[in-house]
Amino acid sequence: MTTEAMTGPSARLPSSPAGRDFNWHRSLVAGGVAGCCAKTTIAPLDRVKILLQAQNHHYKHLGVISTLCAVPKKEGYLGFYKGNGAMMIRIFPYGAIQFTAFDQYKEMIKKKLGISGHIRKLMAGSMAGITAVICTYPLDMVRARLAFQVKGDHKYNGIIHAFSTIYTKEGGMQGFYRGLMPTIVGMTPYAGVSFFTFDTLKGVGLAQAPTLLGKPCLDNPDVLVLKTHVNLMCGGIAGATAQTISYPLDVTRRRMQLGAILPDSEKCLTMVQTLKYVYGNHGIRRGLYRGLSLNYIRCIPSQAVAFTTYEFMKQFLHLN
């Protein structure tokens, strides 16, 4: 996930209807805090990813490591956190909505459609991801614009100025949803595969080796949760798998989001046009998958922080 994909609920005893209703609100807080902690940890890598994906002219000739070295020289170490304020405003509701929606969609799919097992996880994960994206997309748009700016070459002075400029000059609310379609198309396999992979690994691990891989929850000894290093491993595998599948669509989304400030914006008006343009001009490795190695590097620390924080918040808020 993109953390942006949270883990499902731990194996637990059934709760009362009143308890489940109260847990719904606390789940929002737990997911939001976990998302913020994870994103702040990997903010420098996110900034570099955006610069490389959209071929920023200040860094387009550099690779991942070279860009990581060049950013602090050109913009100072705070340059790694450019756009992170907008990201925090976005990621809290994103993480909260995604986790809570996943839980609710799983129940709904089972009760309304009679579907269970792995298909239910895939469907619920995809639907939760899409719901969170639609609700928070304008904030992601603003964050991408701010992160793409380089010191001395600013178009936006801050979050509020970026919102007002995009609204005024790019067609009102429609301007905030540029690139939404490839985001939704990319989120469908990404969130689905992330939830499916992590939940499957988690379920198999706790079922087959509960003593080795699990530990009793602090606030409810009847509940088993994964040990921290196992969370890291499962989350890393889930994130890497999902990212590989959906990355070309993530590149397409970023270029469409940044379209108005890129010199070739007229060639990237639709998802298909953008995919053809990136593939035709930059190929697969240097175009559609440019910056993927950075995403793999992001995967492990992001998921480690997300799952560790989420498990702590669940115990702290007595969600188990």
Side-chain angles (χ1 to χ4, degrees):
M1 157 152 309
T2 97
T3 359
E4 295 186 348
M6 293 290 177
T7 174
S10 302
R12 58 178 180 262
L13 296 176
S15 57
S16 66
R20 292 178 67 87
D21 182 62
F22 189 48
N23 286 352
W24 182 84
H25 299 285
R26 288 183 287 177
S27 292
L28 290 172
V29 176
V33 171
C36 287
C37 291
K39 281 296 183 180
T40 299
T41 301
I42 63 167
L45 298 176
D46 267 340
R47 174 87 201 286
V48 172
K49 184 187 78 167
I50 290 176
L51 292 172
L52 293 180
Q53 278 185 337
Q55 312 276 343
N56 185 288
H57 66 276
H58 292 280
Y59 301 101
K60 66 185 298 183
H61 59 289
L62 302 176
V64 173
I65 303 300
S66 301
T67 304
L68 281 169
C69 295
V71 169
K73 292 179 181 178
K74 186 174 182 63
E75 306 178 60
Y77 283 99
L78 288 179
F80 282 128
Y81 291 90
K82 188 170 289 183
N84 196 54
M87 172 57 80
M88 291 302 98
I89 295 173
R90 168 189 172 261
I91 204 63
F92 187 93
Y94 183 94
I97 291 170
Q98 186 173 6
F99 173 78
T100 305
F102 175 68
D103 219 9
Q104 297 300 312
Y105 282 138
K106 279 209 304 184
E107 292 296 321
M108 184 186 73
I109 291 171
K110 184 177 181 179
K111 291 180 179 179
K112 302 292 185 181
L113 303 179
I115 299 174
S116 59
H118 297 321
I119 298 299
R120 181 175 66 141
K121 295 177 185 177
L122 284 168
M123 290 177 63
S126 297
M127 293 165 67
I130 292 171
T131 301
V133 162
I134 292 174
C135 292
T136 62
Y137 193 79
L139 290 166
D140 189 41
M141 165 72 79
V142 170
R143 183 258 172 177
R145 295 288 181 91
L146 293 175
F148 187 70
Q149 295 184 137
V150 175
K151 188 175 182 179
D153 188 18
H154 281 200
K155 182 176 180 180
Y156 309 109
N157 297 326
I159 296 174
I160 296 176
H161 183 245
F163 266 109
S164 62
T165 302
I166 294 172
Y167 183 83
T168 303
K169 297 184 178 181
E170 299 184 36
M173 288 302 298
Q174 183 178 350
F176 290 112
Y177 284 92
R178 179 170 180 163
L180 177 62
M181 187 52 65
T183 303
I184 290 177
V185 174
M187 179 54 65
T188 301
Y190 180 83
V193 171
S194 293
F195 276 108
F196 166 75
T197 304
F198 184 82
D199 268 19
T200 300
L201 292 173
K202 178 180 178 180
V204 171
L206 291 177
Q208 300 298 322
T211 305
L212 179 65
L213 304 180
K215 62 180 181 180
C217 182
L218 294 178
D219 66 318
N220 188 348
D222 293 325
V223 174
L224 275 182
V225 295
L226 290 176
K227 295 178 180 178
T228 301
H229 69 281
V230 182
N231 258 326
L232 167 63
M233 181 180 67
C234 294
I237 293 173
T241 303
Q243 194 66 60
T244 302
I245 293 172
S246 63
Y247 194 76
L249 292 168
D250 189 35
V251 173
T252 301
R253 169 176 66 102
R254 287 298 183 201
R255 290 195 68 92
M256 291 185 71
Q257 284 182 332
L258 300 168
I261 59 176
L262 293 176
D264 50 8
S265 60
E266 73 283 352
K267 299 177 182 178
C268 301
L269 298 177
T270 68
M271 182 177 69
V272 175
Q273 280 182 339
T274 306
L275 280 169
K276 288 182 178 179
Y277 176 78
V278 174
Y279 174 73
N281 286 271
H282 305 289
I284 296 177
R285 187 170 67 89
R286 295 185 178 276
L288 296 177
Y289 280 94
R290 180 177 173 84
L292 179 61
S293 60
L294 180 63
N295 266 26
Y296 285 147
I297 295 172
R298 290 168 62 245
C299 229
I300 292 178
S302 173
Q303 295 298 331
V305 173
F307 290 130
T308 300
T309 305
Y310 184 69
E311 291 296 331
F312 169 77
M313 289 301 297
K314 285 203 300 182
Q315 296 175 62
F316 178 75
L317 296 174
H318 300 283
L319 280 168
N320 294 309

